[in-house]
Amino acid sequence: MTTIYLIRHAEAEGNLYRIAQGQHESNLTGRGLRQVRALERRFADIPVDAVYSSDLYRTRATAAAVYRPKNLPLRLCPGLREICVGDWEGRTWGDIARCTPEAMADFGSRMDRWSIPGAETPAEVLERVRSAVEDIARANPGKTLALFSHGYAIRLLLANLQGISLRDTGAKSPTGDNTAVSLLEWDGERLRVVWQNDNRHLQTPEYLAEETGVRRAFALEPGLWFRPLKDPADRLAAAWAEAGEPGPVPAAPLTLEGLLGEETAGLLHMDPETGRMLLAYIRPDCRGRGLGVQLLGQAVQHTRERGGEELTAAVPSGGPGEKHLRSWGFAPAGEAEGRRLWRKCIGFDPLVREGR
């Protein structure tokens, strides 16, 4: 009997920033890195003979929880990749829900009829992932394996193995949490689900002690969509003053407004060439809902597209902006003229890319 632990990747940027990841590359978040450590503790005493991962960065970084402590090579398998979502890749869920609401609903609830330009169909993904898992099982008879894949792909596979149709997968097979573990067995001919979507390692006091961030309501909660701010002078100046910033608004080449439906909920003012964030503003009545971090997501995307690997921001020392920057993973990096400089690395770990 071959034993297979099937594991979803840790929380990645798309999960936090409400961006459709698909096969779009994204980094792990601070919470994701804590989940990796929790997963490592869970598997510390579990013998594993081989570790396989999708070739996308977020799964490779998560797989480090098992292959590094056990001194195993990481074997990459593109067949374990997440669904390619075609025209949706890299777009915010808020934008997708606004532009294609019916397809958005079908993506989570009616996989049998979801189809958009340039994307794989769920049926194609199911065939690809099931074939990959079966091939890996055949190549490792009698061994214990850890396979790292993605939420949508795992959801389709688990449903199929339990006789749930694509039509009913949305209602009967929920997506597991980030780093949720499922156990499969292979008897040489067929796969069987022993148990699924177990997240006990995320319920320990050690993990929960650091779990302070806002959690979204559900997996496909849309959030904001973004567009360049037209005629930004007055609106930007008002947000700047409300944020307690003195003097005129510094010039910057990019100003985006984040909208909930058709109403502006926030503004991002920055220089993506340098990664300098000058203003990340959320309307007072929209605060406390996890929307501000989506501004950070846009800053990450626009800076990374230009080859940048770092974001910076300068805010008054002791002001409320410091709390938000710290919660977003920024670290203090000096002080001048009553303002503190904060930095956040957004580059990918080269050791993960190399499988070390």
Side-chain angles (χ1 to χ4, degrees):
M1 188 72 69
T2 300
T3 300
I4 301 171
Y5 291 99
L6 182 61
I7 306 160
R8 186 186 177 195
H9 65 78
E11 184 183 79
E13 291 169 335
N15 303 127
L16 179 61
Y17 303 152
R18 312 312 308 128
I19 293 169
Q21 295 177 116
Q23 297 185 4
H24 182 80
E25 286 287 37
S26 60
N27 215 331
L28 296 187
T29 66
R31 175 183 282 134
L33 293 173
R34 294 193 298 273
Q35 291 171 345
V36 170
R37 293 195 292 271
L39 195 65
E40 180 176 343
R41 292 191 291 270
R42 175 171 183 164
F43 275 85
D45 298 322
I46 297 176
V48 174
D49 298 304
V51 180
Y52 289 79
S53 169
S54 144
D55 58 344
L56 297 178
Y57 181 90
R58 57 191 184 271
T59 40
R60 295 164 69 172
T62 307
V66 178
Y67 79 80
R68 281 180 178 169
K70 299 183 184 302
N71 295 312
L72 295 169
L74 177 62
R75 306 180 186 186
L76 300 182
C77 177
L80 296 175
R81 276 187 169 208
E82 183 60 292
I83 183 172
C84 171
V85 292
D87 290 352
W88 289 5
E89 294 273 345
R91 291 169 57 189
T92 67
W93 288 115
D95 182 38
I96 292 166
R98 172 177 170 268
C99 296
T100 52
E102 291 183 1
M104 172 81 170
D106 285 346
F107 185 70
S109 63
R110 283 294 302 271
M111 286 79 160
D112 58 310
R113 65 188 185 194
W114 183 81
S115 178
I116 65 166
E120 293 177 286
T121 66
E124 290 170 337
V125 177
L126 173 59
E127 181 180 0
R128 164 170 61 77
V129 174
R130 181 160 183 166
S131 294
V133 174
E134 290 178 347
D135 288 346
I136 291 170
R138 288 190 189 96
N140 294 274
K143 295 183 179 180
T144 298
L145 312 174
L147 275 56
F148 289 81
S149 187
H150 303 260
Y152 203 82
I154 292 173
R155 184 183 189 186
L156 292 171
L157 177 61
L158 292 176
N160 177 259
L161 293 177
Q162 296 173 94
I164 301 172
S165 69
L166 277 178
R167 176 189 173 91
D168 294 335
T169 293
K172 297 182 178 180
S173 183
T175 302
D177 288 342
N178 291 109
T179 67
V181 182
S182 298
L183 182 64
L184 311 181
E185 289 182 342
W186 168 259
D187 63 5
E189 295 184 1
R190 61 183 62 85
L191 290 165
R192 180 176 75 91
V193 178
V194 181
W195 42 260
Q196 67 184 64
N197 296 335
D198 185 276
N199 69 348
R200 72 186 70 174
H201 54 287
L202 304 183
Q203 307 303 317
T204 65
E206 188 172 6
Y207 176 79
L208 293 174
E210 297 180 303
E211 182 66 347
T212 58
V214 174
R215 299 299 300 269
R216 64 184 181 277
F218 56 95
L220 296 180
E221 181 184 24
L224 303 176
W225 63 279
F226 293 87
R227 67 185 178 192
L229 180 63
K230 297 179 180 178
D231 304 319
D234 291 342
R235 294 165 65 187
L236 192 56
W240 183 258
E242 187 178 323
E245 297 286 1
V249 184
L254 179 65
T255 305
L256 299 175
E257 60 177 334
L259 298 98
L260 273 177
E262 298 302 319
E263 290 191 14
T264 301
L267 300 174
L268 173 67
H269 186 56
M270 69 169 301
D271 182 354
E273 294 292 342
T274 63
R276 183 68 176 268
M277 296 174 60
L278 299 169
L279 179 67
Y281 168 83
I282 290 291
R283 207 174 69 203
D285 61 315
C286 291
R287 294 171 187 169
R289 297 164 57 181
L291 298 176
V293 76
Q294 295 178 52
L295 302 176
L296 174 63
Q298 293 301 300
V300 169
Q301 279 198 315
H302 283 274
T303 301
R304 193 176 282 153
E305 285 171 359
R306 292 160 175 79
E309 296 189 347
E310 181 181 81
L311 295 178
T312 62
V315 297
S317 297
E322 293 194 327
K323 176 182 177 181
H324 294 295
L325 291 172
R326 191 181 298 277
S327 71
W328 292 349
F330 283 76
E335 191 168 349
E337 299 179 358
R339 298 178 73 84
R340 185 171 293 159
L341 180 67
W342 293 74
R343 288 196 174 95
K344 176 180 177 65
C345 176
I346 61 171
F348 294 99
D349 185 344
L351 294 181
V352 170
R353 287 195 178 279
E354 296 168 10
R356 292 194 281 139

